[in-house]
Amino acid sequence: MQKVEWLGMRHFGSERFPKCGKDGMALLIVLGFLAAFFVTVFYLHSYSTNQRYQSHMVSSSEVASRVAEFGAKQVQSMVRNAVAFLNSSDPGTFPKREKGLKEAQAGMKEFFEIFVDENGRLSEKEQNALISIPLAENTILSGLTFTPELKVILTLEGQKKIHEDSAIPGDSERAAETIGKFVIDSTASYDKVERRVISVFEQRTVQMTIPVLSRFALTVLEIPDKDKLNSNLVNARGTAPETFTDATYTPLVVLGGQRVPDTKNNDPAQFLDKQGWVFILPELTLGVAPGNGKFGENFLLASGCTFYRDIQKDAGPFGTGFGVVRGKNFELWNTHQIYSRLTGLYQETKKEECFYFMSNISGVDNVQHSSILRLMGTPDSPSPTLVFGNVLRSYILEQGLRKKYGASPADCAFLPYVRREQFDSASWTAGLDPDSQKVLRGTCNGNWDTYRQAMSTPVSSVPFNEGLAFWFDPDEYTGKTTPRAIQPNFKTGVIPKLGKSLEYVPKQPENLLLGQNIALYRDDSQVFSGELGNVLPNVGNYCVSRCGRQFESGKILKEYLTGLRKTGMNPTGFYYVKGSFEWTEDWNELAVGGVGLVCEKDVTIVGMVKPAPTGDLAKECVNNQIYFVSLGGDVNINTGRRIEAALVAVKGRVRSSGAGIDVCGFVAARIMELSGLCNSSPKVVRYDPRYDWADSQAYRNGFRTVLERQPIVFFAKPN
């Protein structure tokens, strides 16, 4: 039975159960396959969706980044263009703010409205503005589904003064020169993705003119070899120095920068206000050169005019007594007049009789030779100006007797200079007839105080500015005999930059002595009050503070400026050069637009200095002033060619190799070395009013904003 059951079961299983098991397995396999298929499909769908999302996010991020970078670069370019406009000296760009708004390109309007003040220069205050940057359809937006959003904020921040309050004692214009930075914050969003790019420019706004010094054509603080100041100019053949043919040396001529007025009837205040002035700190007495020749100074001595006055009976010289000679009475008040003439110094004129008659004068250095300096020009180029410091002049007041009737102007008897103790001696001087001496002494009643009112005498203690009174006297001296006293009519109105007027007062010449303690004004506002002698020693550090870049040598600076020229960038600004510096003529194409070179040691100029911008800079760089500033050395002029520049030696000298001096700008030196001037080469310093710190237009045109060549750029987290 068990076997049968077993067999039956076996039969049952072999017939039914095996068949049922195969079908179930197939079903399970199909179901498993379907499950796996659906899982795979779901996974692939999820993966694809995630990938599409990730790809979309990456694409949006890239777009947002590109747009943010685009905005930053556009504003960078806008800032550079706006600053280039501010730095341009093209007359067509003034007034800056008005012209900038009128000619504004993309974003420029906001820049000039917010960041440029009413004076046309970069604001001294911190400012910010939202800059509108249009997105170009054919560039940044090409192929995009959505339009990105762009927001760019330009900020001027960190503004602070470049100079300390005590940088130059008395200067009140420091706040206008600042250092700070432009920050460009560009944020872009695209399809809910934001990216932010920040770009930072350092900027330095400086004034190219040098405080106080650039108001003066010549500034000197020390003259160690003053014994060479007044010398004999005649040549070996004894030729009169008025011609200066083969002379032993020629003087240094200072020209104030303007043509003299055609008429002297107008108030000279405005003319003197614009002239380049002169400041010499050490006390000097300059001998006035004789004559009207190439280097004479008679134009500052009433042009050689002869004045005369009648002799008053019973009063004054030659009217208080009789001159009795050999029983004959001489009544000079009936027959003669007293003549007077201002003239240069007689040692140089080679007039023997005049030399004898002035032989008793003491202090021959100041009364017998003319100086090596012509501070107010020459007869060919008269240039009266203001001289500051205790600078005096010496000349001869020639006086004598002339016949009243029938005598020519040349028919004169020179009255010799006589000291009080010599008046009663038997002989006053060689060349004077004893009988004539008796007449002169007798008609003065034997009184030296009476005689000295008519005798020739040295004038050696009057301010050099006295020459202004004779030049601007409206009576126009012609060199002819003039029936009037020597009292020039000279009075100015208020000289705007000086804030005071000048007047010639007889017997009070000290009124024309201008000391070193002064005030300076620009547009009626006081910009300086102090001692002129304190300015130059402090100018060195002042100029260093203006320098935005430092170079190890002039060679490296030249490479840098060459790179700027190739890109068409204006190189204007102050540069610091370690060591010494040499200027050659190839610098003229590089240092344009207004450049200051501040050097640790010597500056040597071996070629012409005349900046000549080329290409696009030719229009942009109209004013191309050059400043050579030597901090611890000398400024050496080793060329006779024109130097259109300012020469400043803070602790040293401005000196010539002997080839000559032809400077158009101004000169300021601690030491004037006269031995370097004692040669026959021409020497001229012409003032250029474009350097004038106290002039409103020159000051306005002198501001420059210097940007870093490459900004700092980085990505930041969105706000």
Side-chain angles (χ1 to χ4, degrees):
M1 183 176 176
Q2 291 179 347
K3 185 176 180 180
V4 172
E5 290 177 354
W6 181 81
L7 290 173
M9 289 296 292
R10 183 182 179 191
H11 175 78
F12 179 82
S14 63
E15 291 294 329
R16 302 184 68 89
F17 282 100
K19 184 177 181 180
C20 180
K22 291 179 180 179
D23 292 340
M25 289 298 292
L27 179 61
L28 290 174
I29 291 172
V30 170
L31 291 175
F33 175 77
L34 290 174
F37 173 76
F38 284 116
V39 169
T40 302
V41 170
F42 177 77
Y43 173 77
L44 290 175
H45 174 74
S46 299
Y47 178 79
S48 176
T49 302
N50 184 63
Q51 286 296 99
R52 286 199 306 272
Y53 176 77
Q54 292 293 333
S55 177
H56 172 75
M57 293 299 292
V58 169
S59 177
S60 297
S61 176
E62 182 180 352
V63 170
S65 297
R66 287 171 54 198
V67 173
E69 287 185 80
F70 173 80
K73 289 181 179 179
Q74 288 294 102
V75 176
Q76 287 176 24
S77 178
M78 181 269 292
V79 170
R80 289 192 185 280
N81 291 336
V83 168
F85 186 88
L86 290 178
N87 289 341
S88 173
S89 53
D90 178 2
T93 63
F94 292 94
K96 293 292 185 180
R97 193 169 190 271
E98 178 182 324
K99 289 293 182 68
L101 288 170
K102 183 178 180 180
E103 302 176 9
Q105 302 172 3
M108 297 276 276
K109 182 177 180 181
E110 293 90 343
F111 185 93
F112 281 94
E113 283 180 341
I114 305 299
F115 299 100
V116 179
D117 64 19
E118 65 278 4
N119 296 310
R121 57 180 180 258
L122 199 65
S123 174
E124 300 171 23
K125 301 177 182 179
E126 296 190 354
Q127 308 279 4
N128 65 78
L130 179 64
I131 307 297
S132 301
I133 302 296
L135 299 177
E137 293 286 346
N138 59 348
T139 55
I140 195 73
L141 299 182
S142 179
L144 298 182
T145 305
F146 309 103
T147 300
E149 293 182 1
L150 176 62
K151 179 182 178 182
V152 184
I153 297 176
L154 177 63
T155 303
L156 178 60
E157 64 179 41
Q159 290 286 76
K160 62 181 181 180
K161 298 178 183 179
I162 288 180
H163 309 294
E164 298 179 356
D165 290 343
S166 59
I168 293 181
D171 174 25
S172 59
E173 283 291 322
R174 294 172 301 279
E177 298 188 62
T178 59
I179 184 172
K181 58 186 176 182
F182 282 110
V183 178
I184 303 169
D185 189 341
S186 178
T187 302
S189 62
Y190 181 73
D191 196 19
K192 299 181 181 180
V193 177
E194 284 192 355
R195 289 295 181 265
R196 184 181 178 203
V197 174
I198 294 178
S199 178
V200 180
F201 275 107
E202 286 195 3
Q203 68 82 23
R204 185 180 297 259
T205 298
V206 300
Q207 168 60 224
M208 296 303 296
T209 60
I210 294 180
V212 187
L213 290 184
S214 57
R215 170 83 285 276
F216 292 78
L218 177 66
T219 297
V220 176
L221 301 188
E222 297 179 20
I223 302 180
D225 47 354
K226 287 195 289 185
D227 59 311
K228 296 182 175 64
L229 186 65
N230 297 299
S231 302
N232 194 336
L233 305 187
V234 298
N235 59 29
R237 298 191 301 274
T239 304
E242 297 180 26
T243 62
F244 278 81
T245 303
D246 301 325
T248 53
Y249 72 81
T250 55
L252 173 66
V253 179
V254 180
L255 302 177
Q258 297 181 95
R259 293 184 59 184
V260 294
D262 295 331
T263 176
K264 299 178 183 179
N265 292 317
N266 298 325
D267 184 355
Q270 293 298 325
F271 175 82
L272 293 172
D273 186 65
K274 296 178 181 179
Q275 283 283 82
W277 301 339
V278 173
F279 169 56
I280 299 178
L281 181 59
E283 181 176 343
L284 299 179
T285 299
L286 305 180
V288 177
N292 295 306
K294 187 175 181 180
F295 293 106
E297 292 181 283
N298 268 8
F299 68 100
L300 299 175
L301 294 170
S303 300
C305 181
T306 301
F307 303 89
Y308 66 89
R309 64 186 188 273
D310 288 334
I311 299 172
Q312 302 298 316
K313 183 180 179 181
D314 299 326
F318 316 125
T320 57
F322 295 98
V324 182
V325 176
R326 300 173 186 174
K328 182 179 179 181
N329 292 339
F330 287 85
E331 300 175 354
L332 295 183
W333 58 86
N334 288 324
T335 58
H336 289 76
Q337 295 171 320
I338 300 173
Y339 82 87
S340 303
R341 184 187 300 121
L342 308 178
T343 184
L345 305 181
Y346 282 111
Q347 175 66 21
E348 297 169 352
T349 64
K350 293 298 181 180
K351 295 180 180 178
E352 185 177 3
E353 69 280 9
C354 297
F355 176 66
Y356 285 149
F357 280 22
M358 302 302 294
S359 60
N360 293 323
I361 298 174
S362 59
V364 293
D365 288 344
N366 287 332
V367 298
Q368 292 190 359
H369 303 291
S370 65
S371 80
I372 198 171
L373 304 177
R374 299 290 181 273
L375 300 183
M376 294 190 184
T378 65
D380 292 342
S381 301
S383 188
T385 189
L386 301 182
V387 178
F388 292 79
N390 197 11
V391 182
L392 309 176
R393 68 180 193 158
S394 61
Y395 54 89
I396 299 297
L397 172 58
E398 177 188 326
Q399 297 193 105
L401 294 173
R402 63 186 295 271
K403 292 181 179 180
K404 271 189 176 183
Y405 310 105
S408 67
D411 190 9
C412 300
F414 190 91
L415 293 175
Y417 171 82
V418 180
R419 298 179 184 178
R420 180 187 294 272
E421 62 272 18
Q422 291 179 307
F423 188 70
D424 293 326
S425 63
S427 175
W428 286 348
T429 183
L432 180 63
D433 183 89
D435 289 342
S436 297
Q437 182 175 329
K438 290 180 181 179
V439 171
L440 295 177
R441 189 158 44 199
T443 52
C444 289
N445 204 23
N447 188 301
W448 178 80
D449 287 316
T450 303
Y451 172 75
R452 70 171 180 165
Q453 298 175 40
M455 72 177 182
S456 299
T457 186
V459 179
S460 58
S461 59
V462 294
F464 200 89
N465 289 320
E466 184 198 49
L468 298 175
F470 291 104
W471 170 257
F472 285 108
D473 192 324
D475 286 343
E476 296 282 357
Y477 303 120
T478 61
K480 299 179 180 179
T481 301
T482 303
R484 55 164 290 187
I486 308 177
Q487 292 185 6
N489 180 18
F490 175 70
K491 183 177 182 180
T492 73
V494 174
I495 300 171
K497 293 186 180 74
L498 190 60
K500 63 184 296 184
S501 58
L502 298 178
E503 181 179 5
Y504 175 84
V505 179
K507 299 182 180 180
Q508 296 182 22
E510 64 276 4
N511 289 352
L512 294 176
L513 188 66
L514 299 174
Q516 67 156 326
N517 198 333
I518 70 168
L520 289 177
Y521 297 82
R522 184 190 309 121
D523 290 339
D524 299 324
S525 297
Q526 188 180 92
V527 292
F528 174 79
S529 179
E531 294 187 356
L532 295 174
N534 291 334
V535 177
L536 180 59
N538 292 283
V539 156
N541 290 334
Y542 197 91
C543 290
V544 170
S545 298
R546 288 176 168 178
C547 296
R549 297 177 179 88
Q550 177 176 295
F551 297 88
E552 293 296 321
S553 66
K555 179 181 178 181
I556 299 176
L557 172 59
K558 181 180 286 188
E559 293 172 354
Y560 175 80
L561 295 183
T562 300
L564 293 184
R565 184 166 70 93
K566 289 180 179 178
T567 59
M569 295 180 65
N570 189 339
T572 187
F574 276 79
Y575 300 91
Y576 186 88
V577 179
K578 290 187 174 182
S580 299
F581 175 84
E582 182 177 86
W583 174 282
T584 52
E585 293 194 8
D586 53 343
W587 283 88
N588 286 314
E589 291 187 356
L590 303 176
V592 299
V595 171
L597 301 172
V598 183
C599 309
E600 282 185 345
K601 298 181 180 179
D602 287 358
V603 173
T604 302
I605 303 171
V606 299
M608 177 178 64
V609 181
K610 188 178 179 63
T614 58
D616 293 338
L617 292 178
K619 181 180 180 181
E620 184 177 332
C621 300
V622 177
N623 293 330
N624 300 288
Q625 292 93 322
I626 297 290
Y627 296 84
F628 295 106
V629 181
S630 172
L631 300 177
D634 300 330
V635 177
N636 301 304
I637 302 174
N638 292 351
T639 178
R641 305 195 68 185
R642 172 66 63 87
I643 298 174
E644 296 184 1
L647 311 182
V648 180
V650 177
K651 297 181 179 180
R653 300 159 290 185
V654 174
R655 57 182 182 177
S656 168
S657 63
I661 297 175
D662 186 3
V663 174
C664 184
F666 71 88
V667 173
R670 178 184 174 185
I671 300 171
M672 173 180 280
E673 188 179 72
L674 296 179
S675 59
L677 302 179
C678 294
N679 54 65
S680 59
S681 299
K683 295 173 281 291
V684 179
V685 174
R686 295 177 179 85
Y687 182 67
D688 186 342
R690 295 179 302 170
Y691 289 88
D692 189 355
W693 174 78
D695 178 74
S696 57
Q697 182 174 349
Y699 185 75
R700 179 200 66 178
N701 295 348
F703 276 94
R704 300 289 189 272
T705 296
V706 182
L707 294 176
E708 279 297 314
R709 189 173 182 182
Q710 293 295 336
I712 300 173
V713 181
F714 57 91
F715 286 89
K717 291 182 178 180
N719 291 323

